Amino acid sequence: MKDIAQRAGVSESAVSFALNDRPGVSEVTRDRIRRVAEQLGWRPSTAARALSGEGSATVGLVVARPAATLGVDSFFLQLISGIQEVLADRQLGLLFQVVEDVMAECAVYRRWWAEHRVDGVLVVDPRTDDPRPALLDELGLPGVVIGALPGSDTGAHPGLSQVRVDDAGAMASIVERLHELGHRRIVHIAGLPSLAHTDRRIRSLRAEADRRGLVEARSVTTDYSDTEGAAATRGLLEGDSPPTALIYDNDVMAAAGAAGAAALGFSVPRDVSVVSWEDSALCRLAVPWLTALSRDTIAFGRTAAQELAALLDGGPARTVQMPLPGLIERQSTAAARALRA
């Protein structure tokens, strides 16, 4: 503040008024102070705001999923690890809460906003019909959506950035590889149907199936748990026309599905190939090792936290596209029987 005041030829109190949008200086003086601040590379400090009573130096993360299914999902642990790396460096705290549904999540945002508990939020699991962006707009609460908003949401959200992933492209890459291996009966064992990324994956599978003439390709939704993943696998493999390839929306379901297939007498990958959407240590502990989509989930969380920090520093909302995950082929996928010599 001293440097800015000296260069602008004003008092330190005038600098404080100008940079915090308070009355007490003319618009001409305010503009001059802001130009000098930009020249000096000044950015607001959330930690300093907290000490002066102007902020909480805390960001919020609410996860609206049943705690039982969340506890076995490695994705969120890695995501939070990446988030925490950035927050610790910025001396920002993380307020974390698990709720049952998205309406309870909205109630938490309203309470946090009324109590000045957080300066911004990280929003996970975008919904196909999502009330949260409009609510955050209404509250004026900065946020970063981890994952793309649904395609129907075309509104401008001035305080909301997005860190997007190409779920459709990732699904297309899996189907392409399984098709190359000769698989024609492909089933996608998906997660929660209300999630936007689940919807995009299902739509992508349908589009790829239509393009390639795979009339028996389809998706089955679950709650992401190992229990429902195993149950869906049993139902499919005991049917009249069992699939030759299964795509699971997370590593836990993939491991449970592979074990369930073996218990029914199906050999992986001789009788059925298995692909996990998420890679983890579990994929390398299962027998056989599981083919999986691999992405840097820690970097995903790190990027989201960096974007939120940028918003809190006064930066504009923007959209960041993460790299397309790569398919790591292991022992759980092989050519369909029809193509084997």
Side-chain angles (χ1 to χ4, degrees), residues 199-258:
D199 182 65
R200 282 192 292 271
R201 295 173 191 181
I202 291 172
R203 289 176 180 271
S204 179
L205 176 69
R206 288 174 181 165
E208 290 299 309
D210 290 345
R211 189 165 70 86
R212 300 173 187 277
L214 306 178
V215 296
E216 295 185 75
R218 59 194 177 98
S219 297
V220 177
T221 57
T222 70
D223 66 355
Y224 277 117
S225 70
D226 55 331
T227 302
E228 289 205 7
T233 303
R234 286 195 301 271
L236 291 164
L237 295 181
E238 290 176 339
D240 294 335
S241 182
T244 65
L246 294 168
I247 305 167
Y248 294 85
D249 260 3
N250 68 14
D251 52 345
V252 174
M253 291 199 298

Side-chain angles (χ1 to χ4, degrees), residues 8-339:
V10 297
S11 66
E12 290 182 37
S13 60
V15 173
S16 177
F17 292 152
L19 297 182
N20 287 289
D21 287 322
R22 293 177 177 173
V25 294
S26 69
E27 286 304 313
V28 172
T29 301
R30 191 186 306 275
D31 289 342
R32 182 167 76 251
I33 291 170
R34 286 176 172 170
R35 284 198 301 271
V36 171
E38 289 177 4
Q39 291 168 2
L40 293 176
W42 174 86
R43 292 291 183 273
S45 166
T46 49
R49 282 182 177 152
L51 291 173
S52 64
E54 296 179 10
S56 65
T58 301
V59 301
L61 172 61
V62 183
V63 179
R65 287 197 191 184
T69 60
L70 183 64
V72 297
D73 196 332
S74 63
F75 171 82
F76 279 104
L77 180 60
Q78 295 181 62
L79 185 76
I80 292 172
S81 295
I83 290 170
Q84 190 57 38
E85 278 186 24
V86 175
L87 298 187
D89 184 59
R90 291 289 301 258
Q91 297 183 317
L92 290 167
L94 178 65
L95 186 56
F96 178 71
Q97 189 163 339
V98 179
V99 296
E100 284 298 315
D101 55 45
V102 74
M103 298 315 296
E105 181 177 344
C106 289
V108 170
Y109 292 151
R110 291 186 182 278
R111 185 173 71 252
W112 283 353
W113 172 80
E115 297 173 356
H116 304 286
R117 297 285 299 278
V118 298
D119 296 323
V121 293
L122 295 156
V123 181
V124 296
D125 287 343
R127 264 58 178 184
T128 52
D129 185 14
D130 203 323
R132 295 172 297 175
L135 172 62
L136 295 176
D137 289 344
E138 174 192 331
L139 298 177
L141 192 58
V144 174
V145 176
I146 301 176
L149 289 172
S152 59
D153 188 344
T154 57
H157 303 289
L160 205 59
S161 290
Q162 295 185 60
V163 181
R164 300 175 64 96
V165 291
D166 187 0
D167 290 290
M171 175 60 82
S173 71
I174 297 174
V175 175
E176 179 182 16
R177 181 54 184 151
L178 292 174
H179 187 266
E180 289 174 350
L181 291 171
H183 295 281
R184 301 297 181 262
R185 298 196 303 274
I186 301 170
V187 177
H188 167 215
I189 299 183
L192 296 165
S194 61
L195 302 184
H197 67 254
T198 302
D199 182 65
R200 282 192 292 271
R201 295 173 191 181
I202 291 172
R203 289 176 180 271
S204 179
L205 176 69
R206 288 174 181 165
E208 290 299 309
D210 290 345
R211 189 165 70 86
R212 300 173 187 277
L214 306 178
V215 296
E216 295 185 75
R218 59 194 177 98
S219 297
V220 177
T221 57
T222 70
D223 66 355
Y224 277 117
S225 70
D226 55 331
T227 302
E228 289 205 7
T233 303
R234 286 195 301 271
L236 291 164
L237 295 181
E238 290 176 339
D240 294 335
S241 182
T244 65
L246 294 168
I247 305 167
Y248 294 85
D249 260 3
N250 68 14
D251 52 345
V252 174
M253 291 199 298
L264 291 174
F266 286 79
S267 172
V268 177
R270 187 184 65 212
D271 299 317
V272 60
S273 286
V274 169
V275 178
S276 169
W277 195 276
E278 298 290 344
D279 193 18
S280 71
L282 182 58
C283 294
R284 299 181 297 278
L285 293 172
V287 179
W289 284 17
L290 302 180
T291 293
L293 272 182
S294 179
R295 60 179 170 181
D296 190 342
T297 306
I298 292 176
F300 196 16
R302 190 185 302 123
T303 300
Q306 288 168 342
E307 291 303 311
L308 182 55
L311 284 176
L312 299 183
D313 285 346
R318 65 180 198 145
T319 296
V320 177
Q321 184 72 47
M322 296 299 291
L324 187 70
L327 188 64
I328 298 179
E329 295 193 52
R330 299 192 178 103
Q331 300 164 344
S332 68
T333 50
R337 280 187 166 185
L339 289 192

